[in-house]
Amino acid sequence: MAITVEAGAPAFSWPAESMTRVPYQVFLDPTIYEREQERLFRGPIWSYVALEAEIPKPQDFKATFVGDTPIVVNRDKDGVLHAFINRCAHRGALLCRELNGNRPRHTCVYHQWTYDLKGNLVGIPFKNGIGGAAGLPRDFDQSQHSLQKLRVATYRGLIFVSFSQNVESLDDYLGPAMRAHLDVIFNRPVQVLGHTRQFVSANWKLYAENVRDPYHASLLHLFHMTFGMYRSSQSGGIKLDARGRHSALQSIRRNDADEVAAYKGTEIRSYQTKYTLSDPSLLQGRPEFPGLSIQTIFPSLVVQQIQNTLAVRHLLPRGTERFELIFTFFGYADDDAEMQAIRRKQANLVGPAGLVSMEDGHAAEIVQQAIIRDKDMSSLVAMGGHDVGDEESLVTETGIRGFWRYYRELMGYGIPADVAREEQVWTRASAVSQ
Ligand code: FES
Ligand SMILES: [Fe+2]
């Protein structure tokens, strides 16, 4: 059964097995990548760009990306947030070349056109020429040459922007279940502890799948399993928003004996008893949260709580076969010095060389390497069935199916009629239960 795609969509069919198949072509095809930039990143969604704590003072700015479009978010002199495309209105040069800083206005290095912190063009060298010769035409209207402005909204200190005038409110976009989880993590003011940046040679959506995938977490990650940080036999599960596009995965510790019972007698690689930590203080934090949580907000934000290490991860596509991943580590503004030190030490678990996270980037890469020549084939995401919905089990791929369901909707790739029907039923039920 071929699924109808909207006119203008790249010519390919999503496999017939409804929601449990993902064609490899979506990780390989440059025309699909181009469409994502328009339909997703510039479409009716909100994209995470920064923590308010990264730009706390008037005139602070941060340069980052929405998809692969460079943007700037800053505060004006009254502290009000503004965001715009990071591109000079003259000949298109990158306006802010630094990642962050504080300045009263932005001046383009190329010909020194200057913009205020609301994005308005306020200065043009030699606008009227020199000695009355040349310069811009008399009818040049400076007010028509502002930076391209984006909508800005915040939730609990997280800053989001949108290209769309039709997008739902940020509160509605997040939905009650996701807001409730953010309320727990961002329960009081945070302070930034540092950043890591890394490049991964894989399509960005392979990482979007990875962070919605509790199934892999105790199988790929030997460290998780060995030291009891995360096991599939722990209690918890995954919650999705009403449309399945965001997810919040939570694992809660039981006791060691019960947790390892599920692995005993199996050949599971990650079940190892021979390893111990040379420095056990790595995991000796303070009681704070009941277990581990990984939350995803479509398309490119991850909020992570692993032991006492807190971070937001920002996923930036860089073409079909490469993405950049930025971790922003944070603690609470009222943390004492010892707690800050604990959070920093436990940051060794994640990031580019993290004892756990290093494997996630590599997992995405080995998929990219193996699918390269077979775009007509597809991957299987059937753990937990073919539905999209909350699951009280950590052995599920429901969050991945939710991601693809919404992706297909935005991209115009259609959803089979039977799934669309089930989805409506589920969406209604889920909306009621939230
Ligand atoms: S491109 Fe920016 S001033 Fe010319
Ligand atoms: Fe992982």
Side-chain angles (χ1 to χ4, degrees):
M1 175 181 64
I3 293 158
T4 319
V5 300
E6 275 182 27
F12 84 104
S13 296
W14 211 277
E17 295 92 332
S18 90
M19 301 305 287
T20 58
R21 286 283 177 182
V22 181
Y24 293 145
Q25 188 166 355
V26 295
F27 304 113
L28 299 167
D29 188 333
T31 63
I32 292 176
Y33 178 85
E34 287 299 310
R35 190 174 173 87
E36 287 169 359
Q37 297 304 317
E38 294 303 324
R39 303 281 294 238
L40 264 73
F41 294 103
R42 295 182 177 214
I45 63 160
W46 287 99
S47 288
Y48 165 82
V49 290
L51 293 177
E52 285 200 67
E54 289 180 277
I55 48 171
K57 299 189 297 298
Q59 304 185 357
D60 279 349
F61 73 89
K62 174 183 175 180
T64 181
F65 295 83
V66 171
D68 59 13
T69 302
I71 68 113
V72 178
V73 56
N74 67 208
R75 289 184 193 274
D76 64 22
K77 63 179 178 14
D78 300 317
V80 178
L81 292 165
H82 303 272
F84 26 79
I85 294 183
N86 188 5
R87 182 178 61 231
C88 180
H90 178 217
R91 296 244 300 279
L94 197 67
L95 181 64
C96 286
R97 294 169 302 135
E98 304 81 2
L99 291 175
N100 50 56
N102 182 283
R103 55 169 65 125
R105 63 194 72 83
H106 300 293
T107 299
C108 178
V109 72
Y110 202 172
H111 313 89
Q112 310 278 304
W113 284 31
T114 297
Y115 303 85
D116 68 17
L117 299 175
K118 295 183 170 69
N120 301 314
L121 178 59
V122 294
I124 303 174
F126 306 127
K127 183 179 174 188
N128 300 316
I130 294 179
L136 285 166
R138 282 189 188 286
D139 62 354
F140 180 79
D141 182 356
Q142 191 165 316
S143 70
Q144 297 304 302
H145 297 269
S146 305
L147 300 173
Q148 191 175 328
K149 297 172 187 177
L150 306 176
R151 294 181 62 190
V152 183
T154 64
Y155 187 78
R156 290 251 175 204
L158 296 149
I159 307 172
F160 294 80
V161 304
S162 182
F163 278 73
S164 170
Q165 293 307 313
N166 306 318
V167 65
E168 61 202 301
S169 72
L170 177 60
D171 273 15
D172 288 348
Y173 182 71
L174 296 171
M178 295 302 115
R179 291 202 308 271
H181 191 79
L182 291 172
D183 292 347
V184 172
I185 302 295
F186 294 92
N187 63 69
R188 58 195 193 276
V190 303
Q191 61 177 333
V192 174
L193 299 177
H195 297 87
T196 61
R197 304 169 74 84
Q198 69 192 98
F199 284 94
V200 179
S201 298
N203 186 280
W204 69 276
K205 298 185 295 299
L206 290 169
Y207 193 78
E209 287 190 331
N210 175 277
V211 285
R212 288 166 170 82
D213 172 17
Y215 177 41
H216 85 280
S218 74
L219 299 169
L220 174 69
H221 301 305
L222 187 145
F223 197 95
H224 265 339
M225 173 60 211
T226 304
F227 301 110
M229 293 163 56
Y230 178 99
R231 291 165 177 153
S232 296
S233 46
Q234 288 172 355
S235 33
I238 186 165
K239 278 193 184 346
L240 308 181
D241 74 309
R243 303 182 77 165
R245 55 194 169 183
H246 320 305
S247 65
L249 179 173
Q250 173 111 48
S251 74
I252 298 168
R253 295 219 53 181
R254 298 194 293 163
N255 63 66
D256 247 36
D258 289 348
E259 287 178 17
V260 300
Y263 294 80
K264 277 195 175 145
T266 70
E267 305 256 318
I268 292 174
R269 179 194 68 98
S270 58
Y271 179 58
Q272 301 281 347
T273 51
K274 63 186 176 207
Y275 296 112
T276 53
L277 288 174
S278 308
D279 177 6
S281 74
L282 176 68
L283 297 182
Q284 285 162 1
R286 289 187 191 166
E288 190 174 30
F289 298 101
L292 171 158
S293 71
I294 304 285
Q295 180 176 22
T296 68
I297 302 297
F298 188 95
S300 50
L301 170 66
V302 182
V303 178
Q304 154 222 305
Q305 173 265 311
I306 300 176
Q307 308 274 106
N308 299 115
T309 186
L310 302 168
V312 290
R313 308 178 189 171
H314 193 187
L315 177 54
L316 303 175
R318 292 277 184 264
T320 52
E321 295 176 17
R322 196 157 175 259
F323 68 84
E324 185 174 3
L325 185 61
I326 299 169
F327 282 65
T328 301
F329 295 92
F330 63 90
Y332 298 107
D334 60 5
D335 282 345
D336 57 31
E338 185 188 60
M339 193 60 173
Q340 283 186 30
I342 289 169
R343 295 197 200 282
R344 284 206 174 89
K345 182 179 265 192
Q346 291 186 352
N348 286 296
L349 297 167
V350 292
L355 294 162
V356 177
S357 283
M358 189 167 60
E359 291 150 356
D360 291 315
H362 191 57
E365 289 180 338
I366 60 175
V367 175
Q368 193 78 34
Q369 289 162 15
I371 64 176
I372 186 79
R373 206 32 64 198
D374 285 297
K375 64 182 169 55
D376 296 335
M377 298 181 76
S378 58
S379 71
L380 178 66
V381 282
M383 292 302 283
H386 67 273
D387 296 334
V388 175
D390 294 357
E391 189 83 71
E392 285 179 13
S393 162
L394 296 168
V395 187
T396 180
E397 289 169 323
T398 185
I400 301 176
R401 289 189 291 276
F403 172 87
W404 289 113
R405 198 209 61 79
Y406 190 57
Y407 175 94
R408 287 167 66 170
E409 188 180 319
L410 287 178
M411 292 286 281
Y413 291 153
I415 299 170
D418 59 328
V419 174
R421 238 184 349 267
E422 284 171 25
E423 293 271 316
Q424 276 176 8
V425 172
W426 180 79
T427 301
R428 273 201 306 277
S430 173
V432 169
S433 71
Q434 286 183 2

